[in-house]
Amino acid sequence: MTSLYQQHLDRNPANHAPITPLLFIERTAEVYPQRTAIIHGALRQTWGETYARCRRLASALSQAGIGVGDTVAVMLPNTPPMVEAHFGIPMAGAVLNALNTRLDAESIAFMLDHGEAKAVIVDVEFAATLQRAVALRKSAQPLLVIDAEDALYTGQAQRVGSTTYEAFLAQGDPAFDWALPADEWDAIALNYTSGTTGNPKGVVYHHRGAATNATSNILEWDLPKHAVYLWTLPMFHCNGWCFPWTLAARAAVNVCLRKVEAAAMAQAMAEHGVTHYCGAPIVHSLLVNAPAELKAKLPRGVKAMVAGAAPPASLIEGMEALGFDLTHVYGLTEVYGPATACAKHAEWEQLDIGERARLNARQGVRYHLQRGAAVLDPATLQPVPWDGETMGEIMFRGNIVMKGYLKNPGATAEAFAGGWYHTGDLAVQYPDGYIKIKDRSKDIIISGGENVSSIEVEDVLYRHPDVLAAAVVAKPDPKWGETPCAFIELKAGSQLSAEAVIAHCKQHLAGFKVPRAVVFGELPKTSTGKIQKFELRKQAGSASAIDV
Amino acid sequence: MTSLYQQHLDRNPANHAPITPLLFIERTAEVYPQRTAIIHGALRQTWGETYARCRRLASALSQAGIGVGDTVAVMLPNTPPMVEAHFGIPMAGAVLNALNTRLDAESIAFMLDHGEAKAVIVDVEFAATLQRAVALRKSAQPLLVIDAEDALYTGQAQRVGSTTYEAFLAQGDPAFDWALPADEWDAIALNYTSGTTGNPKGVVYHHRGAATNATSNILEWDLPKHAVYLWTLPMFHCNGWCFPWTLAARAAVNVCLRKVEAAAMAQAMAEHGVTHYCGAPIVHSLLVNAPAELKAKLPRGVKAMVAGAAPPASLIEGMEALGFDLTHVYGLTEVYGPATACAKHAEWEQLDIGERARLNARQGVRYHLQRGAAVLDPATLQPVPWDGETMGEIMFRGNIVMKGYLKNPGATAEAFAGGWYHTGDLAVQYPDGYIKIKDRSKDIIISGGENVSSIEVEDVLYRHPDVLAAAVVAKPDPKWGETPCAFIELKAGSQLSAEAVIAHCKQHLAGFKVPRAVVFGELPKTSTGKIQKFELRKQAGSASAIDV
């Protein structure tokens, strides 16, 4: 039966609009055109100017024949063009594919092919890698390459494109009449994750989810209007956890930073009155382990978010001692970055710092606008008892979960089995509902905030003619959190050295994926011949592993 | 052509959930079960308890056969049951119809009939009016009447229902497994507006819009977690501008207040550490015009929102002098309450108080998550020039616009003509994009924050046998903003007195709709016989109008 509320009360253009972060910058440029949007070296760019530049970018892309459903890749550090890409590309109806600038040419080539990119904007620092990637592409589709120059880049600048970013923008119309997405479910971004298999998977974000997580960031942090945000987190990681859109919604300041270094961070914090920043534990460690004279310059009361790997309690303590207000969040590419937060309680203030750090080191509760985060038995999808002991798998559901994996219906269906997104991370849930990771999905190594797929590294090792069997696990590392540690069983008679293994890996892998330790010997196997990685993890954690 | 992003990337229960404010209370009860949700007299009720009571209410309604698409009316002051109704009723799938407690039995009867209410929760203070309304109903549909008792009500309590609110809740299950709406477009609330015609129109809100405006409130105010909010704004006005949902999202404190009086407000502010409150100008005037010793008790730095009528600059100045941080918002029932805000700028701080008050008295810019607010030529729907002079009509579009008017497709289509919601308010737009109302829709009188339809009052006047012609316009009033002023042309030979006119009106109208001034004489008419109300407005504004 139709209820009285379902008659003559339909959606129409007056009462329904797509949810999209593009409206955030439109409103902010309208209300606060004179406020600073971007600081980069000597550059000060207002929201009015930034919006006009984004419209120019959208206009120029449209003129180049790039539109709805087309992919535009970028290979950029945290510079102004990277901020602008988050708006200008989707304003053209296109999908932003922010590439990890640390990747090797082979990986980049795979992504350009798989994502079917029609254009790529590349910072001069990464031009050489991109050039090699373009040469390695299998696709015959034309690729428009745009060079983003940057006065702050001090290395050898190289141009590989047919135009520069500024020349391209100059062609565009600053009053371009861009269109909202036809549907809020339309894609806004494509982010490759190394995931648990060798080939990267293309995680697709939609406008609805991007706007929702951008808003959740505000709610989590009580982020005020006109906050001053320092870009230490790479924007190619889950679109900087959706913060480019968050900052537009808040008419906030993007303080750009080409390179994350303690001195540059401290300098920017003091000079621009930074109020907020995010990063993996290693980013915060830079400050905790900085020289005393640098620490003395740090402003107090800055709010920091940490995620990307579980922060050790010592880091939480160290940050607190420096006067930072640290919030621990947890997430994955598939859930737009942060998806749980360790929400604090006033009564924790009364606890000693160690106990407080222990509570704060938990992954916490669902992000504000997410429907659900839970630890479930992966077989039954029933919640585990909230006893802090029973393990289950962390799962999410709601509007801050990806559309799915691009051109990979099998992996998508597997990830969403039973109506939940399966993270692969094993955890317990405490009586207060807070989630704590106990073991991460066994194949992932998180090194300096970057995901390294052990299978990908193993694949490379297996390509060496002397290797009989190989397994890669995480080795705890004081600087990087974890590094890949390779266990190799050589073919009979081989005299392969650790150095030769490393050299082989360097040919095929990005630097951060190359094993830092190599151990030779017979690999422990189960009766069915499966390598017992848990045994190797024990060994990698012990001093016996050989560092290279 | 289907793009690669439209293949195998569909909505499913893992990556799509309805947007609804019901998830706000669920999350807050999970994360902050021990924090205070409601203060009312001696009562302190946590979020955990409040959520359990809302689930009880939903459960008990379900047991009573009330579910999806059914209307549940409430006639309640700002007491705990009113807060709970905003969650418990939609958790049952039903639609909350918060009735204006100031209305007369005839209006209430009309609303119960038109909204097809299946149940009504009534505070003992309004039991007598409700009883008369029930007797006046035309519908034969059974109506479950639930009495809400309140220890803080000091008058003669009357019971008219078949059960009490507490007894009803006791039947419900505190762990009731309520369902999210099947669609975020489903109705959550029904709010009657007097509008510009005699019969009230039923404005229907959906879950998507309620959650979106509730979030916009947070963004506008930078509303922090655990804010302490004083309920001076009636929750029957646009669901308290969606603040019951906002406060749940912030794990904030609802400080209830049965009656808005300066002493009670000052007392609550000081005792509970109130940080925020909202109201029509008359509410804030109570504080500005309070005795000095009361003013001395007021905490400083409290944030206040004003709307419901354009606040005079003197009020803005007075509030500032008292140390309040006032934000001026503007809206209508059709747009979930506030829909524009006079967003402040840092540079305004440098201006003298008069100039700053003048800027702050403007209606401002679109609310954060609204797609658009504009002053358009009502004929062409083209924007007026932003010159501060050219008049047009204020129009809105986006997700914070009603579903439409219940059972009134004609009025709905008219309101949404051309893809914008037409407010009927005439305004200009300044070069900075800020909107300023110049003249309100001609038939509406706003008295003490309540809409009075002049047509409704005229209808009553016309019912008197001695009245030949009647017209009602707004008369400026220092206390109420405006009051209705009646101009009456009597039939030949009639000796009807102003007192008799008032007495007649009191029989048929709520007190606030009864004219405060009556003027007898021939009415000015156009050549086609239409009464020239603009002439009458001039007269009503002059001292010659006779107050009764």
Side-chain angles (χ1 to χ4, degrees):
Chain A
M1 204 186 74
T2 314
S3 99
L4 68 162
Y5 292 102
Q6 290 172 312
Q7 296 162 39
H8 312 296
L9 294 168
D10 301 325
R11 292 164 177 78
N12 65 61
N15 67 13
H16 188 272
I19 295 172
T20 167
L22 300 183
L23 286 171
F24 298 169
I25 191 171
E26 186 199 57
R27 182 184 186 276
T28 286
E30 199 174 296
V31 180
Y32 303 108
Q34 300 304 327
R35 288 205 76 103
T36 301
I38 301 180
I39 292 176
H40 184 55
L43 175 81
R44 299 292 178 279
Q45 189 172 294
T46 66
W47 277 108
E49 290 162 351
T50 302
Y51 182 49
R53 285 173 59 86
C54 294
R55 290 167 93 175
R56 281 183 182 275
L57 174 56
S59 165
L61 287 169
S62 297
Q63 287 170 33
I66 291 165
V68 175
D70 291 334
T71 303
V72 176
V74 303
M75 196 169 178
L76 296 167
N78 285 344
T79 52
M82 187 59 143
V83 175
E84 292 162 3
H86 279 79
F87 301 94
I89 291 169
M91 277 177 190
V95 179
L96 166 64
N97 174 212
L99 299 165
N100 186 327
T101 60
R102 297 167 191 158
L103 289 175
D104 54 295
E106 280 184 23
S107 296
I108 298 287
F110 172 86
M111 292 168 189
L112 293 175
D113 276 335
H114 186 266
E116 303 178 22
K118 294 205 172 158
V120 59
I121 304 170
V122 60
D123 185 90
V124 285
E125 183 175 350
F126 311 113
T129 305
L130 183 81
Q131 197 167 36
R132 285 197 298 279
V134 169
L136 288 167
R137 278 205 314 158
K138 295 193 181 78
S139 167
Q141 183 173 270
L143 180 71
L144 170 65
V145 178
I146 301 165
D147 289 306
E149 298 174 305
D150 184 1
L152 268 64
Y153 177 56
T154 53
Q156 184 78 30
Q158 193 177 346
R159 283 192 50 181
V160 293
S162 55
T163 182
T164 65
Y165 183 70
E166 291 303 326
F168 191 67
L169 255 59
Q171 297 165 27
D173 176 2
F176 179 62
D177 187 20
W178 57 277
L180 291 177
D183 188 321
E184 65 201 35
W185 196 256
D186 285 354
I188 189 170
L190 169 67
N191 289 299
Y192 282 95
T193 172
S194 50
T196 52
T197 59
N199 262 346
K201 284 183 286 193
V203 173
V204 182
Y205 291 0
H206 48 66
H207 285 257
R208 176 182 169 104
T212 303
N213 208 38
T215 305
S216 293
N217 285 333
I218 298 171
L219 298 179
E220 182 50 49
W221 237 348
D222 292 4
L223 190 70
K225 292 183 198 80
H226 317 315
V228 181
Y229 182 90
L230 179 64
W231 271 112
T232 45
L233 177 76
M235 278 184 250
F236 58 70
H237 271 173
C238 317
N239 297 109
W241 305 353
C242 300
F243 270 97
W245 300 312
T246 297
L247 300 177
R250 296 278 70 190
V253 182
N254 291 270
V255 180
C256 289
L257 203 62
R258 274 195 78 89
K259 214 165 172 171
V260 176
E261 292 164 331
M265 285 172 69
Q267 162 80 10
M269 284 182 182
E271 186 177 345
H272 308 304
V274 166
T275 56
H276 295 77
Y277 77 100
C278 301
I282 192 165
V283 172
H284 307 291
S285 293
L286 289 176
L287 299 178
V288 170
N289 299 316
E293 66 271 23
L294 190 148
K295 284 187 191 174
K297 280 189 213 153
L298 291 171
R300 297 185 75 84
V302 174
K303 291 191 173 192
M305 267 195 201
V306 60
S314 62
L315 176 70
I316 294 178
E317 287 186 36
M319 287 294 286
E320 199 172 299
L322 276 177
F324 286 93
D325 178 2
L326 194 68
T327 298
H328 174 207
V329 298
Y330 153 79
L332 305 94
T333 304
E334 286 84 344
V335 287
Y336 294 77
T340 69
C342 190
K344 295 177 191 176
H345 290 261
E347 56 269 29
W348 293 1
E349 297 295 321
Q350 311 308 319
L351 303 174
D352 69 66
I353 194 166
E355 174 66 4
R356 191 160 64 243
R358 194 186 64 73
L359 292 171
N360 278 328
R362 299 180 301 169
Q363 278 64 36
V365 295
R366 67 174 132 156
Y367 225 45
H368 270 87
L369 299 178
Q370 183 69 299
R371 176 178 175 185
V375 179
L376 305 181
D377 179 319
T380 64
L381 294 186
Q382 289 304 302
V384 299
W386 290 10
D387 56 10
E389 289 186 6
T390 311
M391 295 250 278
E393 185 177 353
I394 302 179
M395 303 199 192
F396 292 102
R397 61 177 174 175
N399 295 314
I400 323 180
V401 172
M402 64 172 176
K403 277 183 86 150
Y405 296 116
L406 186 68
K407 302 195 286 193
N408 199 341
T412 301
E414 199 181 324
F416 292 156
W420 289 86
Y421 165 64
H422 299 238
T423 65
D425 284 334
L426 301 179
V428 298
Q429 214 157 355
Y430 282 88
D432 62 358
Y434 279 53
I435 293 170
K436 166 83 177 168
I437 291 185
K438 285 295 182 179
D439 199 3
R440 62 182 58 259
S441 167
K442 62 182 183 303
D443 296 321
I444 288 294
I445 300 153
I446 302 194
S447 187
E450 295 291 344
N451 280 6
V452 179
S453 160
S454 61
I455 293 175
E456 186 190 1
V457 184
E458 286 158 15
D459 281 349
V460 168
L461 293 172
Y462 274 109
R463 280 196 242 166
H464 193 284
D466 283 7
V467 169
L468 182 67
V472 175
V473 298
K475 178 177 184 316
D477 184 278
K479 180 170 181 199
W480 301 101
E482 295 175 347
T483 55
C485 175
F487 288 83
I488 296 174
E489 201 170 327
L490 292 172
K491 289 179 183 167
S494 167
Q495 296 297 321
L496 192 67
S497 68
E499 287 71 18
V501 170
I502 301 293
H504 168 78
C505 288
K506 281 187 175 163
Q507 279 189 289
H508 300 282
L509 290 169
F512 68 91
K513 295 179 182 175
V514 173
R516 300 296 175 103
V518 180
V519 184
F520 294 102
E522 199 183 338
L523 299 183
K525 302 194 188 70
T526 65
S527 57
T528 59
K530 224 174 148 186
I531 296 170
Q532 293 178 303
K533 279 201 170 176
F534 66 93
E535 284 293 339
L536 297 177
R537 279 194 202 95
K538 280 190 215 158
Q539 288 186 42
S542 77
S544 69
I546 303 148
D547 283 6
V548 179
Chain B
M1 203 186 75
T2 313
S3 100
L4 68 163
Y5 292 102
Q6 289 172 313
Q7 296 162 37
H8 312 295
L9 294 168
D10 301 325
R11 291 165 177 78
N12 65 61
N15 68 11
H16 187 272
I19 295 172
T20 167
L22 300 183
L23 287 170
F24 298 168
I25 191 171
E26 185 198 56
R27 181 184 187 277
T28 287
E30 199 174 295
V31 179
Y32 303 108
Q34 299 305 328
R35 288 203 75 103
T36 302
I38 301 179
I39 292 176
H40 184 55
L43 176 79
R44 300 291 179 278
Q45 189 172 296
T46 66
W47 277 108
E49 290 162 350
T50 302
Y51 181 48
R53 286 173 58 86
C54 294
R55 290 168 93 175
R56 281 183 181 276
L57 175 55
S59 165
L61 288 169
S62 298
Q63 287 170 33
I66 291 165
V68 174
D70 291 335
T71 303
V72 177
V74 302
M75 197 169 177
L76 296 167
N78 285 343
T79 52
M82 186 60 142
V83 175
E84 293 162 2
H86 279 79
F87 301 95
I89 291 169
M91 276 177 191
V95 178
L96 166 65
N97 174 212
L99 299 165
N100 186 328
T101 60
R102 296 166 191 159
L103 289 175
D104 54 295
E106 281 185 21
S107 296
I108 298 287
F110 172 86
M111 291 167 189
L112 293 175
D113 276 334
H114 186 267
E116 303 179 21
K118 293 206 172 158
V120 59
I121 304 170
V122 61
D123 185 90
V124 285
E125 182 174 351
F126 311 113
T129 305
L130 183 81
Q131 196 168 37
R132 286 197 299 279
V134 169
L136 287 168
R137 277 205 314 158
K138 294 192 183 78
S139 167
Q141 182 175 270
L143 181 72
L144 170 65
V145 178
I146 301 165
D147 289 307
E149 298 174 305
D150 184 1
L152 268 64
Y153 177 57
T154 53
Q156 184 78 31
Q158 192 177 347
R159 284 192 47 183
V160 294
S162 55
T163 182
T164 66
Y165 183 70
E166 291 302 327
F168 191 66
L169 256 58
Q171 297 166 27
D173 176 1
F176 180 61
D177 188 20
W178 57 277
L180 291 176
D183 187 323
E184 65 201 36
W185 196 255
D186 285 354
I188 189 170
L190 169 66
N191 289 299
Y192 283 94
T193 173
S194 49
T196 53
T197 59
N199 262 345
K201 284 183 287 195
V203 173
V204 182
Y205 291 179
H206 47 66
H207 285 257
R208 175 182 169 105
T212 303
N213 209 39
T215 305
S216 293
N217 285 332
I218 298 172
L219 297 178
E220 182 50 48
W221 238 346
D222 292 4
L223 190 71
K225 293 183 197 78
H226 317 314
V228 181
Y229 182 90
L230 180 64
W231 272 112
T232 44
L233 177 76
M235 278 184 251
F236 57 72
H237 271 172
C238 319
N239 297 109
W241 303 354
C242 299
F243 270 97
W245 300 311
T246 296
L247 300 176
R250 295 279 69 190
V253 182
N254 291 270
V255 180
C256 290
L257 204 60
R258 275 194 77 88
K259 214 164 172 174
V260 176
E261 292 164 330
M265 286 172 68
Q267 163 79 10
M269 284 182 181
E271 186 176 344
H272 307 305
V274 166
T275 57
H276 297 76
Y277 78 99
C278 301
I282 191 164
V283 172
H284 307 289
S285 292
L286 289 175
L287 299 178
V288 171
N289 299 316
E293 66 271 20
L294 191 149
K295 284 187 192 174
K297 281 189 213 153
L298 290 172
R300 297 184 75 85
V302 173
K303 291 191 174 193
M305 267 195 201
V306 60
S314 62
L315 175 71
I316 294 177
E317 288 184 35
M319 287 294 286
E320 199 173 298
L322 275 178
F324 286 93
D325 178 2
L326 194 68
T327 299
H328 174 208
V329 298
Y330 153 79
L332 306 92
T333 304
E334 286 84 346
V335 287
Y336 294 77
T340 69
C342 190
K344 295 175 192 178
H345 290 261
E347 56 269 30
W348 294 359
E349 297 294 321
Q350 312 309 320
L351 304 173
D352 70 66
I353 194 166
E355 175 65 4
R356 191 159 64 242
R358 195 188 61 75
L359 292 170
N360 279 327
R362 298 180 301 170
Q363 278 64 36
V365 295
R366 66 173 131 156
Y367 226 44
H368 270 87
L369 299 177
Q370 183 68 299
R371 176 177 176 186
V375 179
L376 305 180
D377 180 318
T380 64
L381 295 186
Q382 290 304 302
V384 299
W386 289 11
D387 58 9
E389 289 186 6
T390 312
M391 296 250 278
E393 185 176 353
I394 302 179
M395 301 199 193
F396 292 101
R397 62 175 174 176
N399 296 314
I400 323 181
V401 172
M402 65 172 175
K403 279 182 85 151
Y405 297 115
L406 186 68
K407 300 194 288 194
N408 200 340
T412 301
E414 198 181 324
F416 292 157
W420 289 86
Y421 165 64
H422 299 239
T423 64
D425 284 334
L426 302 178
V428 298
Q429 213 157 354
Y430 282 89
D432 62 358
Y434 279 53
I435 292 168
K436 168 83 177 168
I437 291 183
K438 284 295 181 179
D439 200 3
R440 64 183 58 258
S441 166
K442 64 183 184 301
D443 295 322
I444 288 294
I445 300 153
I446 301 194
S447 186
E450 295 290 344
N451 281 5
V452 178
S453 161
S454 60
I455 294 176
E456 185 189 1
V457 184
E458 286 158 15
D459 282 347
V460 168
L461 293 171
Y462 274 109
R463 281 195 240 168
H464 194 285
D466 283 6
V467 169
L468 181 67
V472 175
V473 299
K475 179 178 184 312
D477 185 277
K479 180 170 179 196
W480 299 102
E482 295 175 346
T483 55
C485 175
F487 288 83
I488 296 173
E489 202 169 326
L490 291 173
K491 290 177 182 168
S494 167
Q495 297 295 320
L496 192 66
S497 69
E499 286 72 16
V501 169
I502 300 294
H504 167 77
C505 288
K506 282 187 175 163
Q507 279 190 291
H508 301 283
L509 290 169
F512 67 92
K513 297 179 181 173
V514 173
R516 299 295 174 105
V518 179
V519 184
F520 294 103
E522 199 185 336
L523 298 183
K525 300 192 189 69
T526 65
S527 56
T528 58
K530 222 175 151 187
I531 296 170
Q532 293 179 302
K533 278 202 170 177
F534 66 93
E535 284 294 342
L536 298 177
R537 279 194 201 97
K538 281 191 216 159
Q539 287 186 42
S542 77
S544 68
I546 303 148
D547 283 4
V548 178

